[in-house]
Amino acid sequence: MAKLIANRYANALFEAGTELNKLEEFQKDLNLIKDVLEKEPKIEIILAHPKISKDEKKDLLNNIFGKSVSGEMLNFLYIIIDKRRERYLIDINNEFNDLFNEYENIINIVAITAIPMNEKHQEKLKLTLGEKLNKNVNLKNTIDPNILGGVVLKIDNKILDGSIKAQLENIERSIKISAL
């Protein structure tokens, strides 16, 4: 149910952003709102509280976001309040980002390495993956010393394991099978 509601509102906002030529602005606004809600979870609790009036919630949002988001986004937040969909704001943001990334042909990839990748290697990996996938790549490098070396790529719901640890485990399995 939550995904359906979030998708409906994200689609409506996406269509409005497309018509107004403000998709990037809306994405930045939504990401800012999500960041604030994640850093200050009490705001989300206040917004979801049934005994706090809609006007008080709107005033709160205006005080927090009035100068940092577009007028259209503030109006969108007011609609969310009027329809009592406050608890879906983060889900709406996630759905909107999915729509935006699909529209802009962007794919998010996480590269997990044992040590941080330098800028040159990140750019080379982004370029190579972009060419192979025919997409614009957003690459995030995270560190996991347990993989020993190499790289593990998380692409959507897929994992490509090119780590030394995985290669050693494959060799170990091969040895065990051949020993039988």
Side-chain angles (χ1 to χ4, degrees):
M1 181 73 162
K3 186 163 177 67
L4 179 67
I5 291 169
N7 190 281
R8 183 171 291 148
Y9 282 89
N11 273 311
L13 185 63
F14 187 83
E15 285 180 28
T18 304
E19 288 174 17
L20 297 170
N21 199 24
K22 291 189 172 190
L23 279 177
E24 286 184 33
E25 183 178 346
F26 286 1
Q27 185 197 34
K28 288 176 186 170
D29 288 349
L30 275 176
N31 287 333
L32 172 71
I33 292 164
K34 179 183 177 185
D35 289 344
V36 169
L37 293 177
E38 287 177 343
K39 287 178 186 164
E40 296 294 336
K42 289 182 180 178
I43 296 171
E44 201 169 7
I45 293 168
I46 292 168
L47 291 175
H49 200 285
K51 294 200 179 203
I52 297 175
S53 74
K54 291 178 182 180
D55 288 336
E56 289 173 310
K57 292 177 183 182
K58 289 177 184 179
D59 286 343
L60 175 68
L61 291 175
N62 188 41
N63 289 334
I64 296 171
F65 300 114
K67 293 181 177 145
S68 53
V69 300
S70 66
E72 294 90 355
M73 184 57 63
L74 205 53
N75 287 334
F76 177 74
L77 292 174
Y78 293 165
I79 291 168
I80 296 292
I81 297 296
D82 287 337
K83 300 293 183 181
R84 298 209 179 273
R85 302 297 192 210
E86 305 92 332
R87 67 177 175 259
Y88 302 111
L89 275 171
I90 291 176
D91 295 327
I92 292 168
N93 175 59
N94 294 337
E95 291 292 324
F96 185 90
N97 280 333
D98 289 347
L99 291 168
F100 181 84
N101 288 344
E102 185 178 324
Y103 181 79
E104 293 289 330
N105 199 31
I106 296 171
I107 188 164
N108 294 312
I109 299 176
V110 177
I112 304 167
T113 55
I115 58 172
M117 294 175 68
N118 65 33
E119 198 65 36
K120 180 180 163 191
H121 287 121
Q122 284 188 41
E123 284 303 315
K124 185 175 179 183
L125 182 59
K126 268 176 74 168
L127 186 66
T128 302
L129 290 170
E131 288 173 358
K132 292 204 182 285
L133 299 171
N134 199 26
K135 293 201 178 265
N136 300 314
V137 174
N138 277 340
L139 185 68
K140 179 182 176 191
N141 182 217
T142 60
I143 311 307
D144 181 0
N146 294 324
I147 68 168
L148 303 177
V151 65
V152 176
L153 297 175
K154 287 186 179 181
I155 305 171
D156 290 329
N157 295 328
K158 298 178 187 129
I159 296 177
L160 302 174
D161 195 344
S163 67
I164 292 175
K165 180 179 179 183
Q167 293 171 17
L168 291 172
E169 288 170 354
N170 287 339
I171 292 169
E172 180 183 18
R173 272 194 297 267
S174 296
I175 292 171
K176 285 181 180 178
I177 290 172
S178 65
L180 296 174

PDB file of all heavy atoms in Angstrom, residues 5 9 47-54 57 78-88:
ATOM      1  N   ILE A   5       0.929   4.289  -2.837  1.00  0.00           N
ATOM      2  CA  ILE A   5       0.670   5.700  -2.508  1.00  0.00           C
ATOM      3  C   ILE A   5       1.867   6.561  -2.901  1.00  0.00           C
ATOM      4  O   ILE A   5       1.715   7.597  -3.545  1.00  0.00           O
ATOM      5  CB  ILE A   5       0.336   5.846  -1.014  1.00  0.00           C
ATOM      6  CG1 ILE A   5      -1.021   5.208  -0.725  1.00  0.00           C
ATOM      7  CG2 ILE A   5       0.348   7.316  -0.593  1.00  0.00           C
ATOM      8  CD1 ILE A   5      -1.340   5.055   0.743  1.00  0.00           C
ATOM      9  N   TYR A   9       1.974   9.687  -5.853  1.00  0.00           N
ATOM     10  CA  TYR A   9       2.386  11.072  -5.605  1.00  0.00           C
ATOM     11  C   TYR A   9       3.684  11.417  -6.340  1.00  0.00           C
ATOM     12  O   TYR A   9       3.844  12.520  -6.860  1.00  0.00           O
ATOM     13  CB  TYR A   9       2.516  11.345  -4.107  1.00  0.00           C
ATOM     14  CG  TYR A   9       1.176  11.548  -3.450  1.00  0.00           C
ATOM     15  CD1 TYR A   9       0.470  10.477  -2.937  1.00  0.00           C
ATOM     16  CD2 TYR A   9       0.608  12.809  -3.376  1.00  0.00           C
ATOM     17  CE1 TYR A   9      -0.779  10.660  -2.352  1.00  0.00           C
ATOM     18  CE2 TYR A   9      -0.638  13.009  -2.792  1.00  0.00           C
ATOM     19  CZ  TYR A   9      -1.328  11.918  -2.281  1.00  0.00           C
ATOM     20  OH  TYR A   9      -2.565  12.103  -1.716  1.00  0.00           O
ATOM     21  N   LEU A  47       4.951  15.425  12.105  1.00  0.00           N
ATOM     22  CA  LEU A  47       4.113  15.455  10.904  1.00  0.00           C
ATOM     23  C   LEU A  47       3.090  14.327  10.890  1.00  0.00           C
ATOM     24  O   LEU A  47       1.986  14.482  10.364  1.00  0.00           O
ATOM     25  CB  LEU A  47       4.983  15.393   9.650  1.00  0.00           C
ATOM     26  CG  LEU A  47       5.837  16.619   9.360  1.00  0.00           C
ATOM     27  CD1 LEU A  47       6.737  16.373   8.162  1.00  0.00           C
ATOM     28  CD2 LEU A  47       4.980  17.852   9.146  1.00  0.00           C
ATOM     29  N   ALA A  48       3.449  13.190  11.454  1.00  0.00           N
ATOM     30  CA  ALA A  48       2.548  12.035  11.448  1.00  0.00           C
ATOM     31  C   ALA A  48       1.555  12.048  12.614  1.00  0.00           C
ATOM     32  O   ALA A  48       0.611  11.265  12.633  1.00  0.00           O
ATOM     33  CB  ALA A  48       3.366  10.749  11.475  1.00  0.00           C
ATOM     34  N   HIS A  49       1.756  12.944  13.566  1.00  0.00           N
ATOM     35  CA  HIS A  49       0.904  12.965  14.758  1.00  0.00           C
ATOM     36  C   HIS A  49      -0.514  13.427  14.397  1.00  0.00           C
ATOM     37  O   HIS A  49      -0.692  14.510  13.837  1.00  0.00           O
ATOM     38  CB  HIS A  49       1.498  13.881  15.831  1.00  0.00           C
ATOM     39  CG  HIS A  49       0.972  13.609  17.191  1.00  0.00           C
ATOM     40  ND1 HIS A  49      -0.293  13.990  17.576  1.00  0.00           N
ATOM     41  CD2 HIS A  49       1.523  12.978  18.246  1.00  0.00           C
ATOM     42  CE1 HIS A  49      -0.499  13.612  18.819  1.00  0.00           C
ATOM     43  NE2 HIS A  49       0.586  12.989  19.252  1.00  0.00           N
ATOM     44  N   PRO A  50      -1.522  12.634  14.736  1.00  0.00           N
ATOM     45  CA  PRO A  50      -2.894  12.971  14.333  1.00  0.00           C
ATOM     46  C   PRO A  50      -3.505  14.157  15.089  1.00  0.00           C
ATOM     47  O   PRO A  50      -4.458  14.769  14.604  1.00  0.00           O
ATOM     48  CB  PRO A  50      -3.674  11.689  14.639  1.00  0.00           C
ATOM     49  CG  PRO A  50      -2.866  10.973  15.663  1.00  0.00           C
ATOM     50  CD  PRO A  50      -1.430  11.347  15.406  1.00  0.00           C
ATOM     51  N   LYS A  51      -2.975  14.507  16.247  1.00  0.00           N
ATOM     52  CA  LYS A  51      -3.571  15.595  17.043  1.00  0.00           C
ATOM     53  C   LYS A  51      -2.997  16.966  16.694  1.00  0.00           C
ATOM     54  O   LYS A  51      -3.479  17.970  17.205  1.00  0.00           O
ATOM     55  CB  LYS A  51      -3.401  15.310  18.528  1.00  0.00           C
ATOM     56  CG  LYS A  51      -4.185  14.088  18.951  1.00  0.00           C
ATOM     57  CD  LYS A  51      -4.435  14.038  20.406  1.00  0.00           C
ATOM     58  CE  LYS A  51      -5.254  12.782  20.684  1.00  0.00           C
ATOM     59  NZ  LYS A  51      -5.987  12.848  21.887  1.00  0.00           N
ATOM     60  N   ILE A  52      -1.992  16.998  15.862  1.00  0.00           N
ATOM     61  CA  ILE A  52      -1.433  18.282  15.426  1.00  0.00           C
ATOM     62  C   ILE A  52      -2.183  18.698  14.165  1.00  0.00           C
ATOM     63  O   ILE A  52      -2.312  17.917  13.217  1.00  0.00           O
ATOM     64  CB  ILE A  52       0.081  18.180  15.190  1.00  0.00           C
ATOM     65  CG1 ILE A  52       0.784  17.834  16.504  1.00  0.00           C
ATOM     66  CG2 ILE A  52       0.625  19.471  14.607  1.00  0.00           C
ATOM     67  CD1 ILE A  52       2.253  17.579  16.401  1.00  0.00           C
ATOM     68  N   SER A  53      -2.684  19.914  14.162  1.00  0.00           N
ATOM     69  CA  SER A  53      -3.527  20.375  13.048  1.00  0.00           C
ATOM     70  C   SER A  53      -2.727  20.483  11.749  1.00  0.00           C
ATOM     71  O   SER A  53      -1.506  20.648  11.759  1.00  0.00           O
ATOM     72  CB  SER A  53      -4.157  21.721  13.391  1.00  0.00           C
ATOM     73  OG  SER A  53      -3.194  22.751  13.311  1.00  0.00           O
ATOM     74  N   LYS A  54      -3.469  20.446  10.650  1.00  0.00           N
ATOM     75  CA  LYS A  54      -2.854  20.599   9.331  1.00  0.00           C
ATOM     76  C   LYS A  54      -2.165  21.960   9.212  1.00  0.00           C
ATOM     77  O   LYS A  54      -1.077  22.054   8.642  1.00  0.00           O
ATOM     78  CB  LYS A  54      -3.906  20.440   8.235  1.00  0.00           C
ATOM     79  CG  LYS A  54      -4.446  19.043   8.106  1.00  0.00           C
ATOM     80  CD  LYS A  54      -5.527  18.976   7.041  1.00  0.00           C
ATOM     81  CE  LYS A  54      -6.105  17.594   6.944  1.00  0.00           C
ATOM     82  NZ  LYS A  54      -7.165  17.503   5.923  1.00  0.00           N
ATOM     83  N   LYS A  57       1.137  21.909  10.988  1.00  0.00           N
ATOM     84  CA  LYS A  57       2.104  21.133  10.203  1.00  0.00           C
ATOM     85  C   LYS A  57       2.617  21.955   9.014  1.00  0.00           C
ATOM     86  O   LYS A  57       3.814  21.962   8.720  1.00  0.00           O
ATOM     87  CB  LYS A  57       1.479  19.822   9.716  1.00  0.00           C
ATOM     88  CG  LYS A  57       1.194  18.841  10.830  1.00  0.00           C
ATOM     89  CD  LYS A  57       0.507  17.598  10.292  1.00  0.00           C
ATOM     90  CE  LYS A  57       0.154  16.640  11.415  1.00  0.00           C
ATOM     91  NZ  LYS A  57      -0.477  15.408  10.912  1.00  0.00           N
ATOM     92  N   TYR A  78       2.206  20.857   1.109  1.00  0.00           N
ATOM     93  CA  TYR A  78       0.902  21.218   1.674  1.00  0.00           C
ATOM     94  C   TYR A  78      -0.177  20.216   1.233  1.00  0.00           C
ATOM     95  O   TYR A  78      -1.053  19.851   2.022  1.00  0.00           O
ATOM     96  CB  TYR A  78       0.493  22.632   1.270  1.00  0.00           C
ATOM     97  CG  TYR A  78       1.345  23.735   1.841  1.00  0.00           C
ATOM     98  CD1 TYR A  78       1.292  25.019   1.322  1.00  0.00           C
ATOM     99  CD2 TYR A  78       2.217  23.516   2.914  1.00  0.00           C
ATOM    100  CE1 TYR A  78       2.058  26.053   1.839  1.00  0.00           C
ATOM    101  CE2 TYR A  78       2.994  24.543   3.440  1.00  0.00           C
ATOM    102  CZ  TYR A  78       2.907  25.802   2.899  1.00  0.00           C
ATOM    103  OH  TYR A  78       3.675  26.817   3.417  1.00  0.00           O
ATOM    104  N   ILE A  79      -0.110  19.794  -0.022  1.00  0.00           N
ATOM    105  CA  ILE A  79      -1.066  18.786  -0.511  1.00  0.00           C
ATOM    106  C   ILE A  79      -0.877  17.478   0.258  1.00  0.00           C
ATOM    107  O   ILE A  79      -1.858  16.835   0.657  1.00  0.00           O
ATOM    108  CB  ILE A  79      -0.897  18.566  -2.036  1.00  0.00           C
ATOM    109  CG1 ILE A  79      -1.357  19.810  -2.797  1.00  0.00           C
ATOM    110  CG2 ILE A  79      -1.665  17.324  -2.500  1.00  0.00           C
ATOM    111  CD1 ILE A  79      -0.985  19.821  -4.263  1.00  0.00           C
ATOM    112  N   ILE A  80       0.385  17.114   0.473  1.00  0.00           N
ATOM    113  CA  ILE A  80       0.682  15.899   1.243  1.00  0.00           C
ATOM    114  C   ILE A  80       0.045  16.004   2.634  1.00  0.00           C
ATOM    115  O   ILE A  80      -0.551  15.038   3.126  1.00  0.00           O
ATOM    116  CB  ILE A  80       2.210  15.689   1.356  1.00  0.00           C
ATOM    117  CG1 ILE A  80       2.839  15.446  -0.017  1.00  0.00           C
ATOM    118  CG2 ILE A  80       2.554  14.570   2.327  1.00  0.00           C
ATOM    119  CD1 ILE A  80       2.470  14.165  -0.681  1.00  0.00           C
ATOM    120  N   ILE A  81       0.158  17.159   3.250  1.00  0.00           N
ATOM    121  CA  ILE A  81      -0.437  17.383   4.577  1.00  0.00           C
ATOM    122  C   ILE A  81      -1.962  17.294   4.485  1.00  0.00           C
ATOM    123  O   ILE A  81      -2.604  16.608   5.298  1.00  0.00           O
ATOM    124  CB  ILE A  81      -0.023  18.761   5.156  1.00  0.00           C
ATOM    125  CG1 ILE A  81       1.487  18.847   5.374  1.00  0.00           C
ATOM    126  CG2 ILE A  81      -0.791  19.067   6.442  1.00  0.00           C
ATOM    127  CD1 ILE A  81       2.058  17.908   6.381  1.00  0.00           C
ATOM    128  N   ASP A  82      -2.551  17.974   3.503  1.00  0.00           N
ATOM    129  CA  ASP A  82      -4.013  17.975   3.350  1.00  0.00           C
ATOM    130  C   ASP A  82      -4.563  16.564   3.150  1.00  0.00           C
ATOM    131  O   ASP A  82      -5.646  16.238   3.641  1.00  0.00           O
ATOM    132  CB  ASP A  82      -4.442  18.863   2.180  1.00  0.00           C
ATOM    133  CG  ASP A  82      -4.290  20.344   2.485  1.00  0.00           C
ATOM    134  OD1 ASP A  82      -4.277  20.709   3.685  1.00  0.00           O
ATOM    135  OD2 ASP A  82      -4.172  21.134   1.527  1.00  0.00           O
ATOM    136  N   LYS A  83      -3.825  15.727   2.441  1.00  0.00           N
ATOM    137  CA  LYS A  83      -4.273  14.359   2.148  1.00  0.00           C
ATOM    138  C   LYS A  83      -3.813  13.353   3.213  1.00  0.00           C
ATOM    139  O   LYS A  83      -4.024  12.160   3.060  1.00  0.00           O
ATOM    140  CB  LYS A  83      -3.754  13.919   0.773  1.00  0.00           C
ATOM    141  CG  LYS A  83      -4.222  14.774  -0.373  1.00  0.00           C
ATOM    142  CD  LYS A  83      -5.708  14.639  -0.583  1.00  0.00           C
ATOM    143  CE  LYS A  83      -6.139  15.450  -1.795  1.00  0.00           C
ATOM    144  NZ  LYS A  83      -7.560  15.371  -2.028  1.00  0.00           N
ATOM    145  N   ARG A  84      -3.156  13.856   4.250  1.00  0.00           N
ATOM    146  CA  ARG A  84      -2.657  13.020   5.353  1.00  0.00           C
ATOM    147  C   ARG A  84      -1.712  11.905   4.859  1.00  0.00           C
ATOM    148  O   ARG A  84      -1.838  10.751   5.245  1.00  0.00           O
ATOM    149  CB  ARG A  84      -3.807  12.427   6.151  1.00  0.00           C
ATOM    150  CG  ARG A  84      -4.680  13.477   6.802  1.00  0.00           C
ATOM    151  CD  ARG A  84      -5.313  12.952   8.065  1.00  0.00           C
ATOM    152  NE  ARG A  84      -6.128  13.951   8.720  1.00  0.00           N
ATOM    153  CZ  ARG A  84      -5.659  14.842   9.596  1.00  0.00           C
ATOM    154  NH1 ARG A  84      -4.395  14.857   9.909  1.00  0.00           N
ATOM    155  NH2 ARG A  84      -6.456  15.720  10.158  1.00  0.00           N
ATOM    156  N   ARG A  85      -0.767  12.295   4.023  1.00  0.00           N
ATOM    157  CA  ARG A  85       0.215  11.345   3.471  1.00  0.00           C
ATOM    158  C   ARG A  85       1.632  11.657   3.956  1.00  0.00           C
ATOM    159  O   ARG A  85       2.616  11.274   3.335  1.00  0.00           O
ATOM    160  CB  ARG A  85       0.183  11.382   1.937  1.00  0.00           C
ATOM    161  CG  ARG A  85      -1.159  11.056   1.323  1.00  0.00           C
ATOM    162  CD  ARG A  85      -1.570   9.656   1.637  1.00  0.00           C
ATOM    163  NE  ARG A  85      -2.702   9.250   0.827  1.00  0.00           N
ATOM    164  CZ  ARG A  85      -3.603   8.386   1.222  1.00  0.00           C
ATOM    165  NH1 ARG A  85      -3.531   7.853   2.422  1.00  0.00           N
ATOM    166  NH2 ARG A  85      -4.583   8.047   0.433  1.00  0.00           N
ATOM    167  N   GLU A  86       1.733  12.352   5.091  1.00  0.00           N
ATOM    168  CA  GLU A  86       3.024  12.820   5.596  1.00  0.00           C
ATOM    169  C   GLU A  86       4.023  11.684   5.802  1.00  0.00           C
ATOM    170  O   GLU A  86       5.206  11.837   5.533  1.00  0.00           O
ATOM    171  CB  GLU A  86       2.861  13.551   6.930  1.00  0.00           C
ATOM    172  CG  GLU A  86       1.888  14.691   6.914  1.00  0.00           C
ATOM    173  CD  GLU A  86       0.460  14.301   7.307  1.00  0.00           C
ATOM    174  OE1 GLU A  86       0.038  13.150   7.102  1.00  0.00           O
ATOM    175  OE2 GLU A  86      -0.238  15.183   7.828  1.00  0.00           O
ATOM    176  N   ARG A  87       3.525  10.555   6.270  1.00  0.00           N
ATOM    177  CA  ARG A  87       4.439   9.453   6.593  1.00  0.00           C
ATOM    178  C   ARG A  87       5.072   8.810   5.356  1.00  0.00           C
ATOM    179  O   ARG A  87       5.963   7.988   5.463  1.00  0.00           O
ATOM    180  CB  ARG A  87       3.739   8.410   7.454  1.00  0.00           C
ATOM    181  CG  ARG A  87       2.632   7.666   6.743  1.00  0.00           C
ATOM    182  CD  ARG A  87       2.053   6.591   7.667  1.00  0.00           C
ATOM    183  NE  ARG A  87       0.922   5.944   7.080  1.00  0.00           N
ATOM    184  CZ  ARG A  87      -0.347   6.213   7.381  1.00  0.00           C
ATOM    185  NH1 ARG A  87      -0.615   7.124   8.286  1.00  0.00           N
ATOM    186  NH2 ARG A  87      -1.318   5.590   6.783  1.00  0.00           N
ATOM    187  N   TYR A  88       4.600   9.214   4.180  1.00  0.00           N
ATOM    188  CA  TYR A  88       5.123   8.643   2.935  1.00  0.00           C
ATOM    189  C   TYR A  88       6.163   9.527   2.248  1.00  0.00           C
ATOM    190  O   TYR A  88       6.592   9.222   1.139  1.00  0.00           O
ATOM    191  CB  TYR A  88       3.977   8.360   1.961  1.00  0.00           C
ATOM    192  CG  TYR A  88       2.938   7.422   2.517  1.00  0.00           C
ATOM    193  CD1 TYR A  88       1.664   7.879   2.816  1.00  0.00           C
ATOM    194  CD2 TYR A  88       3.227   6.087   2.747  1.00  0.00           C
ATOM    195  CE1 TYR A  88       0.697   7.028   3.340  1.00  0.00           C
ATOM    196  CE2 TYR A  88       2.270   5.225   3.269  1.00  0.00           C
ATOM    197  CZ  TYR A  88       1.013   5.702   3.560  1.00  0.00           C
ATOM    198  OH  TYR A  88       0.073   4.852   4.077  1.00  0.00           O
TER     199      TYR A  88
END
